[in-house]
Amino acid sequence: MNPPICSVRKARFRAGMVCCVLAIIFSAFSYRLIYLQVERGSAFTALANKTQILKQTIPAQRGSIRDIHGEILAGDMPMRKIVADGSHIKPALFSQVTELLANSLELDEKALRTKLTPERRYLVLKRQVPEQTAEDLRSELRRKNAQGIYFEPDSTRMYPNGSLLCHVVGFTDYEGHGIQGIEKSMNQYLEGHPGYKYITRDRAGTELVQHRGLEQEPRNGYNVQLTIDLGLQSIVERELDAAVKKYAPETATAILMRPKTGEILAMASRPYFDINERSKAEAEQMKNRAIIDMIEPGSTFKIVTLSGVLNEKLVRADTPVYCEGGRWEYCAKILHDDHPMTTSTVHDVLVYSSNIGAAKLALQLGENRLYSYIKQFGFGERTGIDLPGEIVGMVHPTKEWSKISITRIPMGQGVAVTPLQMVMAMGAIANGGKLMMPQIIHSITDDHDLPIAQFPPVVVRQAINPETVKALIPALEDVIRKGTAKHGAVDGYQVGGKTGTAQKVSAQGGYLSGKYVVSFVGFLPAEDPEVVGMVMLDNATTRQGENYGGLVAAPVFSSIAGQAMRYLNIEPTLPISPTASPSTALALKEEHD
Amino acid sequence: MNPNTKRHTNRLQFAALLRGIIVTAFLAIAGLSYVYLKNQLHVSGLQRRNLEQELNELISENNVMEAQISNLTSRTALQRRLDEGFIKLVPITGQAVVRLHPQENGRWASDTRSVGNQIQTISHEPAARR
């Protein structure tokens, strides 16, 4: 029997209603889905990304600073930065975790509990934590099954040689940016570019590697190789320390340079500091006096005047100069010589360091030409060394000179130079008249030791003619042989050089009585100079009448230079005396004392 | 039997059933594979993360070791050990240095040793006391 027609209609109507209701429900869901996915999609995606996706920085390693033989002077020591995500720490383990953190990282537990709340998603607990401490902490956290503590890579700068070469190497600040020395001047090369990666984390904070996003590898900093030879540096510092111990000067400086290339082989200043403990150092200890101390050079400056008159062919080395018996009045001012002479020669003016002779030669040269030669030797301008804070010194233009300036400047008064400028000037004489730019950076390499940049020697200018140098060098040799710097001799080698004894300038004007800056600048072997060196001591404590460059600074130079020759394996050009040792000159001086 | 009854009998349609089973199996396998592969991806990700962590730890350890070697072999550290007497070094005096100059005329090249030359043997045994 067939069902009645009305029943069929009712059934169809009911089915239609159900379908409609279902369609409405599904439409509502669909609308909601579309609304959430399309309308609010980007907002929810951003919200999800905010909680799940994290941009993790991959720090770049800072490049190392090395000496010429590759010995590390500054490098990075890997450390850890401990950070916490408060939302990932289980409340049940909170007190245990804070206690563990406080004990391991030496933090105040009470303060830690206050800071480490579930709302704090990123809290740096401690930076520069040693790897071993971090590893112990990680193991302990794993044992407790605690989450929310993360170990990010970090580093600290280490200086294996401590105080050796401290003024040149410099140091970085807390953020790892160079703030002194090579660390500052070469910061752009030493600093690398940090990388990054976008990571997705699950609810527990564990990274979902399969959803890792964009990744950029870091570019480590370049390594900087210096021209400094740490072997020579340690010789220089040892001898400088001995001199400081003996003479207790306020400051002391020593430099060794290769005249043919301008490469700085060693550079030391006293007082000094340990770079690893720089927070304890005073500002005075941090000064690189070779480039930032301005001193009146004294008689070492006579090389400029004599170079000028010889270069201009106004005189020859054997031209007589009347030295007035050691006392000369010029413009109502008296000028004295320590070694009084009547008639001398240009050669002997340098050998016996005659102030009067130098003044008369300067008068012959004239103000403008003297000024021009001072500039030719690089005084009054930066040498261009790659170290921060170098000063220009002080060379007044001729229009600012007084009437007696022409007689005082030749003996190194009324001008101020840095020790490095003085070394470079003597280096020009030792290098056939070519003034070189001091070079302290040898090369830059990447972290695979592939060269990035090399620094060839730079000739600044031809300061004087080679013929002038030929006339000048015998005089500089005689300064050691029979002149004012007998204690500057080095057994087995012919040395050329010049002493300087300058009265200290008072901050209030004028000169300080009984206080001197003594120096010696020389080169060897004189036949073919390999090394130019300078030793300078400010206000050395000596017996009355012994505070001279030839008696204080020259023996230190001799001691340094003798050992340097042995170290560099430079063959002696003269017979070695049977009892000679590298520090003969200093030993002889001690005996004499 | 009424022929209409026979007409309304539901006969098993094997072809359709097989098709259904295959489609279902395919879908099931595809679904399970998807889940399996997803899990594998997750497991591989975890392995990768652990390996990366291990590698980083090794690199860090290596860097720490290198830094320690640099510290311990630095000139200052060696000088300190020398001063403390841990290293015994005797300075070479100037007289102890002998410089050899090979002659330009090639003395060594011309003075070749003949086989008949007497060869002095060097004994490493301690010499008998006399």
Side-chain angles (χ1 to χ4, degrees), chain A residues 61 67 71-72 76-80 131 135 138 142 158-164 197 202 206-212 215 229-232 234 238 276 493 565-567 569-572 576-582, chain B residues 38-50 52-53 56-80 82-83 91-97 99-101:
Chain A
Q61 213 173 352
D67 86 331
E71 188 165 346
I72 292 177
D76 261 11
M77 168 82 98
M79 294 269 169
R80 289 282 163 184
E131 281 283 341
E135 198 48 49
R138 198 203 300 265
R142 272 189 196 147
M158 57 134 199
Y159 302 92
N161 287 292
S163 59
L164 201 65
K197 60 180 174 186
D202 65 8
T206 314
E207 188 199 350
L208 300 168
V209 182
Q210 67 271 30
H211 297 300
R212 188 178 283 180
E215 203 168 348
D229 187 322
L230 220 52
L232 290 173
S234 59
R238 192 170 57 236
N276 294 311
Y493 300 91
M565 290 295 106
R566 278 276 301 281
Y567 178 82
N569 197 22
I570 293 166
E571 206 167 321
I576 299 175
S577 63
T579 54
S581 73
Chain B
K38 202 175 171 188
N39 283 349
Q40 278 300 107
L41 202 64
H42 184 70
V43 170
S44 302
L46 282 177
Q47 281 177 346
R48 182 183 163 185
R49 192 169 63 88
N50 290 339
E52 276 180 354
Q53 204 167 344
N56 286 338
E57 277 169 21
L58 282 172
I59 290 169
S60 293
E61 264 179 51
N62 185 49
N63 289 344
V64 170
M65 292 290 179
E66 275 182 4
Q68 281 173 348
I69 289 168
S70 295
N71 270 328
L72 292 170
T73 57
S74 68
R75 192 167 286 272
T76 307
L78 292 175
Q79 187 64 46
R80 194 168 48 239
L82 187 66
D83 295 342
I92 302 167
T93 55
Q95 308 95 287
V97 178
R99 290 175 187 274
L100 300 173
H101 302 281

Side-chain angles (χ1 to χ4, degrees), chain A residues 142-343:
Chain A
R142 272 189 196 147
R143 204 176 58 76
K144 288 181 189 297
N145 200 22
Q147 290 170 331
I149 308 298
Y150 303 100
F151 299 80
E152 292 182 1
D154 197 8
S155 64
T156 188
R157 205 73 174 145
M158 57 134 199
Y159 302 92
N161 287 292
S163 59
L164 201 65
L165 199 66
C166 55
H167 301 103
V168 172
V169 174
F171 49 85
T172 59
D173 64 8
Y174 192 64
E175 294 291 324
H177 305 296
I179 50 170
Q180 205 173 40
I182 293 291
E183 291 274 29
K184 184 180 181 184
S185 65
M186 302 306 284
N187 190 55
Q188 57 172 322
Y189 299 103
L190 289 164
E191 253 184 356
H193 292 300
Y196 61 85
K197 60 180 174 186
Y198 284 95
I199 61 165
T200 309
R201 297 188 301 175
D202 65 8
R203 203 160 55 88
T206 314
E207 188 199 350
L208 300 168
V209 182
Q210 67 271 30
H211 297 300
R212 188 178 283 180
L214 199 63
E215 203 168 348
Q216 174 73 48
E217 284 289 309
R219 203 269 290 151
N220 288 337
Y222 296 135
N223 302 317
V224 173
Q225 189 166 28
L226 306 184
T227 58
I228 297 281
D229 187 322
L230 220 52
L232 290 173
Q233 181 71 25
S234 59
I235 290 169
V236 166
E237 296 216 7
R238 192 170 57 236
E239 293 303 326
L240 205 58
D241 280 336
V244 168
K245 196 175 171 188
K246 190 173 179 187
Y247 298 113
E250 283 175 28
T251 66
T253 309
I255 303 169
L256 285 186
M257 189 266 291
R258 185 169 281 138
K260 286 167 192 164
T261 58
E263 288 169 288
I264 303 295
L265 302 172
M267 183 183 270
S269 299
R270 293 291 179 272
Y272 67 118
F273 66 105
D274 187 337
I275 317 177
N276 294 311
E277 294 177 5
R278 54 190 174 273
S279 55
K280 295 176 189 167
E282 303 278 329
E284 282 298 304
Q285 292 172 289
M286 293 187 182
K287 288 181 182 170
N288 184 356
R289 294 174 189 280
I291 57 165
I292 65 165
D293 253 10
M294 201 162 61
I295 48 142
E296 281 199 350
S299 294
T300 51
F301 207 69
K302 283 177 185 146
I303 57 171
V304 177
T305 310
L306 268 84
S307 295
V309 285
L310 289 168
N311 203 52
E312 293 293 324
K313 295 186 172 47
L314 300 175
V315 292
R316 291 187 328 194
D318 56 358
T319 305
V321 180
Y322 184 59
C323 290
E324 310 280 349
R327 191 180 183 280
W328 182 49
E329 191 178 326
Y330 181 79
C331 289
K333 296 278 180 184
I334 307 291
L335 201 58
H336 290 282
D337 274 343
D338 279 336
H339 300 87
M341 294 183 288
T342 48
T343 302

Side-chain angles (χ1 to χ4, degrees), chain A residues 16 64 218 488:
Chain A
S64 61

Side-chain angles (χ1 to χ4, degrees), chain B:
Chain B
M1 189 188 251
N2 188 347
N4 288 339
T5 312
K6 192 182 178 185
R7 201 176 59 201
H8 289 292
T9 301
N10 288 325
R11 293 171 61 192
L12 278 173
Q13 294 178 351
F14 283 104
L17 187 65
L18 195 63
R19 196 163 52 239
I21 289 168
I22 287 169
V23 168
T24 311
F26 177 76
L27 288 174
I29 288 167
L32 286 172
S33 300
Y34 175 74
V35 172
Y36 173 77
L37 289 172
K38 202 175 171 188
N39 283 349
Q40 278 300 107
L41 202 64
H42 184 70
V43 170
S44 302
L46 282 177
Q47 281 177 346
R48 182 183 163 185
R49 192 169 63 88
N50 290 339
L51 284 171
E52 276 180 354
Q53 204 167 344
E54 273 180 45
L55 188 66
N56 286 338
E57 277 169 21
L58 282 172
I59 290 169
S60 293
E61 264 179 51
N62 185 49
N63 289 344
V64 170
M65 292 290 179
E66 275 182 4
Q68 281 173 348
I69 289 168
S70 295
N71 270 328
L72 292 170
T73 57
S74 68
R75 192 167 286 272
T76 307
L78 292 175
Q79 187 64 46
R80 194 168 48 239
R81 289 180 74 78
L82 187 66
D83 295 342
E84 286 167 357
F86 283 105
I87 308 171
K88 305 284 182 199
L89 291 175
V90 180
I92 302 167
T93 55
Q95 308 95 287
V97 178
V98 178
R99 290 175 187 274
L100 300 173
H101 302 281
Q103 290 192 356
E104 285 180 8
N105 295 338
R107 180 190 159 206
W108 300 107
S110 59
D111 293 358
T112 47
R113 183 171 59 81
S114 69
V115 287
N117 280 359
Q118 195 182 359
I119 298 169
Q120 283 188 334
T121 53
I122 299 165
S123 171
H124 294 287
E125 294 297 317
R129 283 189 181 177
R130 292 178 182 175

Side-chain angles (χ1 to χ4, degrees), chain A residues 313-586:
Chain A
K313 295 186 172 47
L314 300 175
V315 292
R316 291 187 328 194
D318 56 358
T319 305
V321 180
Y322 184 59
C323 290
E324 310 280 349
R327 191 180 183 280
W328 182 49
E329 191 178 326
Y330 181 79
C331 289
K333 296 278 180 184
I334 307 291
L335 201 58
H336 290 282
D337 274 343
D338 279 336
H339 300 87
M341 294 183 288
T342 48
T343 302
S344 181
T345 59
V346 171
H347 177 96
D348 283 353
V349 164
L350 197 62
V351 173
Y352 298 106
S353 198
S354 168
N355 297 330
I356 296 166
K360 286 193 167 182
L361 290 170
L363 283 167
Q364 205 171 341
L365 189 62
E367 285 184 349
N368 290 331
R369 280 192 289 192
L370 177 60
Y371 178 77
S372 160
Y373 277 100
I374 292 170
K375 299 297 273 184
Q376 282 286 307
F377 275 101
F379 297 108
E381 62 185 29
R382 286 188 183 86
T383 60
I385 193 168
D386 282 317
L387 283 171
E390 189 194 7
I391 58 164
V392 293
M394 193 180 67
V395 178
H396 295 298
T398 49
K399 63 182 177 188
E400 290 176 21
W401 288 14
S402 69
K403 281 185 181 172
I404 60 163
S405 290
I406 187 79
T407 58
R408 297 301 188 267
I409 288 172
M411 56 186 225
Q413 284 186 355
V415 286
V417 306
T418 64
L420 183 64
Q421 283 175 336
M422 205 61 237
V423 169
M424 297 319 292
M426 187 58 97
I429 293 171
N431 189 35
K434 283 188 191 127
L435 180 72
M436 304 299 291
M437 181 186 277
Q439 197 184 340
I440 201 156
I441 310 295
H442 177 266
S443 60
I444 297 173
T445 56
D446 66 8
D447 53 351
H448 302 294
D449 281 339
L450 294 171
I452 299 293
Q454 298 241 325
F455 296 81
V458 178
V459 180
V460 178
R461 65 182 79 88
Q462 184 79 37
I464 49 171
N465 297 325
E467 295 77 38
T468 310
V469 172
K470 279 179 192 164
L472 211 53
I473 283 186
L476 292 168
E477 286 175 4
D478 276 351
V479 171
I480 287 45
R481 215 177 283 131
K482 57 182 184 179
T484 54
K486 287 174 189 144
H487 292 297
V490 178
D491 198 57
Y493 300 91
Q494 189 67 61
V495 181
K498 185 72 193 83
T499 55
T501 307
Q503 217 170 345
K504 272 194 84 170
V505 179
S506 166
Q508 286 76 39
Y511 290 93
L512 294 167
S513 173
K515 292 189 173 184
Y516 298 92
V517 177
V518 294
S519 59
F520 179 84
V521 55
F523 54 85
L524 75 167
E527 302 86 352
D528 183 19
E530 286 288 339
V531 170
V532 174
M534 182 183 191
V535 173
M536 191 198 81
L537 289 97
D538 179 358
N539 196 21
T541 310
T542 60
R543 283 187 295 208
Q544 190 71 29
E546 284 192 2
N547 200 357
Y548 289 102
L551 293 177
V552 176
V556 183
F557 170 85
S558 161
S559 194
I560 291 170
Q563 292 176 68
M565 290 295 106
R566 278 276 301 281
Y567 178 82
L568 294 171
N569 197 22
I570 293 166
E571 206 167 321
T573 49
L574 300 174
I576 299 175
S577 63
T579 54
S581 73
S583 53
T584 305
L586 192 61

